[in-house]
């Protein structure tokens, strides 16, 4: 039943039940652009408002500035037209189908239903408001920066693919659960949402933007789905994740720098063999016991596992690694043995600093002494650590700075590997062209690195013969990591 308002001449009336809300005493207004202020003159105490018809930015700013008691706003039957007129909050023009930047920033609104027509929410449109829940369908695009940032009473968010922009819900400290539509998750979208526990639809996400879940301390699990190709910089830094299983993701997934840095509860990590790992990806993960570096990575990045104990860290220096970055394994106190692959040619500054649980290093696979940066093993009692070598390389290690400080032991029966390519893969230079040839399996993928572990080429030839031009590539020493179609990988060191 409807009860007529005394101000019927202004087009106002009260309704017991509203579409989208269960709010008594809401005022309904049929509007034309710029008329809302006149229709609601003297009605500053309105706590519920339903608007239909056409409105513009002047009407939206009137609602935000002149209705301090408003808690519920229904725009589902309204359409926003362009504004072009007197200066309004510093601008004389506002586009159609858009809620202006900062329009409802800090407003007391608790509930909003957005227009049914396609509508864009600009930067900070509802930031710091008292909204309790947000639903963004395919028609509502909160693509502005920080549209709902710091809404400290917001408990739930549900949005369609692509509907939430960068830092949309950042700092919503009461947000506990969210449902996402898949696709790309914007940068910082949930940054600082410390109460966020559950993400529904995570398995449909193809890209997690930088800092998307940074500081989400209550988030203990996430579904890394088969379509996920990118994890951005600091995407999960400081979150509560206990495991990061990316084993089902595409083999070439890119994991950005510091992606999982400072996750205090992270215990295990799994990544595909061809993943690209960024600097400091697992820095400061003080509970991390088990992790693997992708076999095709070429290098253990700088700071990659610094501060992680890695008691089961045998997979962090796999075959094919040519370079161990600065501070990469600093403080890996749980690692008692380090096995160096035949491909290794350099270890950077402080790479294994304070690995005070280290008991032995297996260098038997090496045919040359890797170059070392500054104080690689600072804080390690090297004289108590056995360095296993072959008969042929023991003298080389004994004469090399830093390596000579270890207790060098020739492993019984160990001899240096022949410095030739494996039989099923051959490599040579024809001028500046690197040629790879297989007589057994097709070559499915090839990565070429320089002596510092920098990726120079990455191709997927699916052929038995590969030619790679190196004309503009500096240096003389190259490491080739080839994935064979039949099985396994082959690593070759070759000099131009």
């Amino acid at each position: 039943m409807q009860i007529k308002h005394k101000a019927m001449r202004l087009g106002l009336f009260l309704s017991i039940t509203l579409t989208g809300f269960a709010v008594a005493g809401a005022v309904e207004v049929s509007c034309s652009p710029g008329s809302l202020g006149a229709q609601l003159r003297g009605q500053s105490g309105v706590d519920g408002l339903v608007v239909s018809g056409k409105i513009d930015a002047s009407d939206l700013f009137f609602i935000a500035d002149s209705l301090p008691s408003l808690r519920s706003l229904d725009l589902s039957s309204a359409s926003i037209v362009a504004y072009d007129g007197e200066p309004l909050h510093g601008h004389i023009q506002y586009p159609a189908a858009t809620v202006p930047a900062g329009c409802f920033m800090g407003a007391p609104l608790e509930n909003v239903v957005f227009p049914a027509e396609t509508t864009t929410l600009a930067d900070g449109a509802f930031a710091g408001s008292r909204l309790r829940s947000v639903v963004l369908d395919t028609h509502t695009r909160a693509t502005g920066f920080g549209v709902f940032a710091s809404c400290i009473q917001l408990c739930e968010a549900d949005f369609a693919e692509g509907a939430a922009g960068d830092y949309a819900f950042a700092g919503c400290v009461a947000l506990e659960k969210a449902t996402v539509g898949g696709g790309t998750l914007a940068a910082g979208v949930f940054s600082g949402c410390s109460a966020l526990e559950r993400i529904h639809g995570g398995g449909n996400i193809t890209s997690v933007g930088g800092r998307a879940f940074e500081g989400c301390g209550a988030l203990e699990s996430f579904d890394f789905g088969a379509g996920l190709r990118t994890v951005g910089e600091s995407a999960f830094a400081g979150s509560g994740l206990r495991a990061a299983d990316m084993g089902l993701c595409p083999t070439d997934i890119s994991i950005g720098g510091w992606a999982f840095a400072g996750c205090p509860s992270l215990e295990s990590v799994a990544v595909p063999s061809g993943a690209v790992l960024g600097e400091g990806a697992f820095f400061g993960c003080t509970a991390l016991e088990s992790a693997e570096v992708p076999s095709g990575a070429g290098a253990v990045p700088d700071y990659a596992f610094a501060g992680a104990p890695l008691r089961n860290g045998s997979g962090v220096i796999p075959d094919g690694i040519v370079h161990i970055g600065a501070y990469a394994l600093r403080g890996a106190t749980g690692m008692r043995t380090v096995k160096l692959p035949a491909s290794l040619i350099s270890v950077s500054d402080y790479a294994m600093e304070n690995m005070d649980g280290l008991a032995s290093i297996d260098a038997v696979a090496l045919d040359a002494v890797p170059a070392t940066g500054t104080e690689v093993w600072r804080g390690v009692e090297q004289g108590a650590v056995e360095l296993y070598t072959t008969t042929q390389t023991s003298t080389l290690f004994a004469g090399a700075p830093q390596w000579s400080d270890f207790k060098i032991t020739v492993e019984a029966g160990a001899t240096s590997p022949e410095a030739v390519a494996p039989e099923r893969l051959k490599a040579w230079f024809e001028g500046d062209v690197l040629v790879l040839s297989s007589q057994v399996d097709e070559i499915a993928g090839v990565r070429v690195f320089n002596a510092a572990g920098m990726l120079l080429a990455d191709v997927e030839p699916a052929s038995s013969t590969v030619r790679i031009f190196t004309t503009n590539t500096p240096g003389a020493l190259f490491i080739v990591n080839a994935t064979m179609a039949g099985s396994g990988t082959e690593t070759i060191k070759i000099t131009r």
Side-chain angles (χ1 to χ4, degrees):
M1 183 180 73
Q2 295 179 343
I3 304 174
K4 292 190 176 180
H5 196 278
K6 290 181 180 180
M8 191 64 182
R9 68 184 184 277
L10 298 180
L12 308 181
F13 65 93
L14 298 178
S15 174
I16 301 301
T17 302
L18 298 176
T19 302
F21 306 119
V23 179
V27 174
E28 293 193 11
V29 181
S30 179
C31 199
S32 59
S35 69
L36 192 60
Q39 294 196 59
L40 290 179
R41 185 177 294 116
Q43 301 297 315
S44 60
V46 170
D47 64 1
L49 180 64
V50 180
V51 181
S52 60
K54 294 182 178 181
I55 59 176
D56 63 18
S58 67
D59 299 306
L60 292 171
F61 279 117
F62 171 80
I63 295 171
D65 297 341
S66 302
L67 301 179
S69 299
L70 191 66
R71 298 295 181 267
S72 300
L73 176 63
D74 186 345
L75 300 175
S76 60
S77 297
S79 61
I80 304 172
V81 300
Y83 173 86
D84 187 351
E86 295 297 317
L88 183 64
H89 283 255
H91 298 277
I92 61 173
Q93 292 180 327
Y94 288 90
T98 302
V99 176
C103 183
F104 293 98
M105 183 178 291
L109 281 173
E110 296 179 356
N111 300 286
V112 174
V113 178
F114 300 105
E117 298 181 357
T118 299
T119 303
T120 297
L121 311 182
D123 295 354
F126 293 88
S129 67
R130 298 180 186 175
L131 290 177
R132 295 182 179 276
S133 65
V134 168
V135 177
L136 304 175
D137 60 19
T138 56
H139 300 293
T140 309
R141 321 298 290 179
T143 51
F145 184 92
V147 172
F148 303 101
S150 299
C151 291
I152 60 174
Q153 294 187 137
L154 189 69
C155 296
E156 186 174 356
D158 185 336
F159 56 90
E161 179 176 340
D166 292 352
Y167 292 85
F169 300 98
C172 294
V173 294
L175 185 64
E176 295 181 350
K177 61 180 179 178
T179 301
V180 301
T184 296
L185 205 58
V189 63
F190 296 114
S191 179
C193 294
S194 54
L196 185 62
E197 296 179 348
R198 298 184 299 281
I199 296 292
H200 300 290
N204 298 318
I205 293 173
T206 58
S207 177
V208 178
R211 304 184 186 278
F213 295 99
E214 182 181 39
C216 294
L219 187 67
E220 297 185 354
S221 64
F222 184 82
D223 184 4
F224 296 90
L228 182 62
R229 306 194 70 89
T230 305
V231 177
E233 182 175 325
S234 300
F236 291 91
S239 71
L241 287 182
R242 294 185 176 275
D245 186 354
M246 291 167 275
L248 295 178
C249 298
T251 57
D252 60 349
I253 182 175
S254 174
I255 301 171
W258 316 97
F260 298 90
C263 291
S265 301
L266 189 64
E267 297 177 351
S268 64
V269 172
V271 296
S273 60
V276 178
L277 200 62
E279 176 181 86
F282 302 100
F283 174 88
C285 294
T286 53
L288 188 58
E289 300 281 351
S290 175
E292 293 183 0
V293 168
S295 58
V300 182
D302 294 352
Y303 301 95
F305 298 98
L310 294 177
R311 289 178 178 82
N312 301 312
S314 59
V316 297
I317 314 177
D319 292 341
I321 291 295
V322 300
H323 176 73
I324 300 174
Y327 299 94
L329 299 172
R330 181 185 185 275
T333 56
M335 290 186 70
R336 292 189 53 78
T337 299
V338 170
K339 185 175 182 179
L340 303 178
S343 53
L344 186 67
I345 59 176
S346 61
V347 186
S348 198
D349 302 342
Y350 310 104
M352 302 185 193
E353 180 183 24
N354 293 338
M355 290 180 64
D356 52 25
L358 190 61
S360 66
I361 296 176
D362 183 349
V364 171
L366 294 167
D367 56 21
V369 178
T372 51
T374 303
E375 296 189 78
V376 172
W377 291 279
R378 186 170 66 176
V380 176
E381 190 180 346
Q382 289 178 253
V385 177
E386 295 204 72
L387 174 62
Y388 293 104
T389 69
T390 65
T391 302
Q392 293 90 336
T393 58
S394 61
T395 302
L396 298 176
F397 279 103
Q402 297 191 62
W403 297 100
S404 60
D405 296 329
F406 289 108
K407 182 181 178 181
I408 298 175
T409 303
V410 176
E411 187 168 88
T415 58
S416 293
E418 294 183 11
V420 296
E423 288 187 2
R424 66 173 177 167
L425 182 68
K426 296 184 181 299
W428 66 91
F429 273 98
E430 293 179 355
D432 285 332
V433 179
L434 173 62
V435 182
L436 301 176
S437 178
S438 172
Q439 301 299 317
V440 181
D441 300 318
E442 279 194 344
I443 304 170
V446 177
R447 287 184 172 188
V448 181
F449 303 88
N450 65 11
M454 180 182 296
L455 181 64
L456 304 176
D458 187 355
V459 296
E460 297 179 356
S463 173
S464 59
T465 302
V466 184
R467 294 176 178 273
I468 299 174
F469 289 89
T470 64
T471 306
N472 298 319
T473 304
L477 180 62
F478 298 85
I479 293 83
V480 179
N481 183 264
T483 301
M484 311 305 291
S487 63
T489 61
E490 300 288 355
T491 302
I492 300 175
K493 293 182 186 177
I494 186 169
T495 302
R496 179 168 59 185

